[in-house]
Amino acid sequence: MSQQPIYIFNTLTRTKELFEPQTPGFVGMYVCGPTVYGDAHLGHAKSYTTFDVVVRYLRYLGLKVRYVQNITDVGHLTDDADEGEDKLAKQSRLERLEPMEVAEKYTNRYFEDMDRLGLLRPDITPRASGHIPEQIAMIETLIAKGHAYEANGNVYFDVTSDPNYGQLSGRRLDEAESGTRVATAGDKRHPADFALWKKADDSHLMKWPSPWGVGYPGWHIECSAMSTKYLGENFDIHGGGLENQFPHHECEIAQSTCAHGTEHPHPFVRYWMHNNMVTLEGQKMGKSLGNAISLRQFYDGSHKLLSRAWDPQVIRFFLLQSHYRSTTDFSEGALQAAENGFANLRTYLIDLHKAASQTNKTGDALPLAEIQSETEQAMNDDFNTAQAVARLFTRIKAARAACNSGKIPVNLDTFLSWTTRFLDEVLGILPDLSEASGSDSETVDGLMELILQLRREARQSKNWAVADQIRDKLTALGITVKDHPTGSSWSR
Ligand SMILES: Nc1ncnc2c1ncn2[C@@H]1O[C@H](COP(=O)(O)OP(=O)(O)OP(=O)(O)O)[C@@H](O)[C@H]1O
Ligand SMILES: [Zn+2]
């Protein structure tokens, strides 16, 4: 286990900073979850795989991590400037479902897709719609402290009341003022003011009573309210995609610091981490941009840009081969290269396992401490998975070359046990090493079908002795045969 310092690139300061958890030994981490109105795509996979590896690595180092990732099921509008329709409401119209049905459907599908990608489930998955009272309470605090105002049933955050507004994105208010993109909409006092609560008209499906009338929360307030509820007013790491830096995270900081006060040593979040984008021909991949390839389409090869299905583990391997702060431009060629690399990794590991079962291990010892340290160093340097994977790969390849030349390292067993643990526990890319397990089980299934068929025929011709003999022999082999009115089944 590494005793070395970890450095995290903090978007807030644009530098790599020494990671010091607020409470030694414990880490609170919040990551913006998906807006559940469609299937997760490769861009989401990059974002959530990035933070999955962060959690896994910190746990590997012995830290206790509480990982909170929300589900946005209300309030995310099709337009960032507080205009447009709610993304979920729009989808519910298209699919003729209740908005909550849409949310449930895509939440379930999201987890299924991420499970296949080997992502650990968050410790808490709060839904925005399940935390309306917390959001209302926070808005009330902001109004009481003079940071928000009500106008015609809407509540807006007053950006001019926060001298630090713009600290994350580097945007200045005078720029927003002169910008033409966001005209001051109706009730807003300043074009950069953003909605905390929106008034709902009669046709609106998701709405709640509030001190300002019936309405629904703005998108940003959910993350401030839910992160505070589960991680406290100050916590260690907040993650999300780069495009969330503005407006979403800028607004989160404004809401949380203004509601809770800025006098804390580390207001709100200590380290802001942002993953870069998955692009397709240089363009951000996005549901709303219409160029998304969903994970499901990768898994079954059904998208027109794909020539075939792709193994989820290969996708994960592909994503981890670039640093999370680099863009990942998707092409099938790049995925093919990752598949080849992953297949090589598997072959090397299978060979190493075979070599490990031999008794004549007389080759030079592998420098395990050095190998561990260089791999951990890569991870300590802002979670550089690309380098960690490359270093491990080189070491595994070299160990295999030593074995092939008849010099099986004396410490091959400990080397294998650590590398497989790291690949599995931290990177989540340990290939399936059961060499012929797939075909073996297919053969057993085929043989059992044949045996049960022969037994059926024996029973049909009332040859009970043979039928019983077959069953008893199978029982002796640990296979139980059960007879039903419609046939027989087996288990072991
Ligand atoms: N192409 C991408 N590459 C990397 N991360 C992405 C990409 N697209 C979205 N993300 C990240 O995934 C997370 C969830 O995104 P969310 O579901 O809110 O996206 P969305 O805006 O609804 O959909 P989209 O961006 O696909 O139109 C966010 O942190 C977001 O930054
Ligand atoms: Zn968020």
Side-chain angles (χ1 to χ4, degrees), residues 379-394:
M379 295 300 286
N380 292 342
D381 181 14
D382 194 27
F383 307 99
N384 195 335
T385 56
Q387 213 164 70
V389 170
R391 287 179 179 173
L392 271 178
F393 195 90
T394 308

Side-chain angles (χ1 to χ4, degrees), residues 39 95 97 100-110:
D39 283 331
E95 295 197 36
L97 295 171
M100 281 301 126
E101 250 176 319
V102 172
E104 200 67 26
K105 173 179 166 183
Y106 289 109
T107 303
N108 289 337
R109 288 166 74 91
Y110 168 76

Side-chain angles (χ1 to χ4, degrees), residues 231-248:
L231 297 170
E233 292 181 5
N234 305 103
F235 57 92
D236 299 300
I237 301 176
H238 192 313
L242 198 60
E243 94 285 18
N244 276 349
Q245 196 178 316
F246 188 88
H248 187 51

Side-chain angles (χ1 to χ4, degrees), residues 20-21 202 213 215 260 262-263 286 305 316 337 379 383 388 417 429 447 462 492:
E20 291 171 304
D202 288 347
H260 302 138
T262 50
E263 64 277 8
L305 289 177
R316 185 174 172 111
M379 295 300 286
F383 307 99
S417 102
I429 49 168
L447 285 172
K462 303 201 181 338
R492 59 174 168 170

